[in-house]
Amino acid sequence: MVTDTYRHKGMRQKLVQGLKKKGILDESILEAMMSLPRHFFLDKAFEDWAYQDKAFPIDCDQTISQPYTVAYQTMLLELKKGEKVLEIGTGSGYQAAILHLLGARVFSIERHQKLYEQTTEILKKHGFDHIRTYHGDGYEGLEKMAPFDKILLTAAATEIPQKLVEQLKSGGKMVLPLGDLDIQKMVRITKTANGSIQKEVFDDFVFVPFVRGVE
């Protein structure tokens, strides 16, 4: 059984202090990251490294994002409690759990069947039953549950996915890494009342590629 010890909490506190120094100042995000054991979402072999500010490999050649990246993307979403959020790329489930702790209603799509099954089980095991997970193609979004207040991509797109823009509410925001395979810019899209988009460009990041289809 995976436990959360005083040692883990101490490492989390050190991580959160490091995030503050890097410019993450939203107290609600820092509190969520302080309260959520990241090692619950990693293989036991990585437990001692779970609170380093680094990405780590998970199944299906995917990664659990660096904590700074999770905090940065979450900050750009400008979440309000009760908002409906679509996450593209469930991965380890850590990002979805952070969104849930911030009061979002989370719907998350994972293209890898194996990862979808594993992560859904992990989320349920740790009390995140209200996060709704789906096995599907992130490029298609989740039309049956649209529209969404916010959409978050945890994989790098080479262009803005129009189907996802269509599933945003008027005034809704989408945060995504945008660019080629080597490096991407973090981008925030805001959908205007007439259906057009406003684009804001932020810092450089590196993500796994956003791939069509399912496995």
Side-chain angles (χ1 to χ4, degrees), residues 83-153:
E83 284 190 325
K84 197 172 169 185
V85 179
L86 175 63
E87 179 192 35
I88 308 296
T90 312
S92 69
Y94 179 73
Q95 173 74 80
I98 291 289
L99 298 175
H100 174 79
L101 288 174
L102 291 167
R105 293 183 290 146
V106 184
F107 300 78
S108 188
I109 301 175
E110 174 54 54
R111 66 182 296 267
H112 296 279
Q113 177 81 37
K114 180 182 179 183
L115 202 50
Y116 156 73
E117 290 174 359
Q118 286 179 352
T119 301
T120 299
E121 187 59 35
I122 287 169
L123 288 168
K124 286 180 179 175
K125 178 181 176 181
H126 295 295
F128 293 99
D129 307 73
H130 296 298
I131 295 174
R132 297 177 66 173
T133 55
Y134 300 83
H135 177 233
D137 183 351
Y139 268 92
E140 298 298 318
L142 203 59
E143 196 169 358
K144 63 183 178 181
M145 302 306 298
F148 296 95
D149 297 291
K150 306 286 167 63
I151 297 178
L152 176 64
L153 273 72

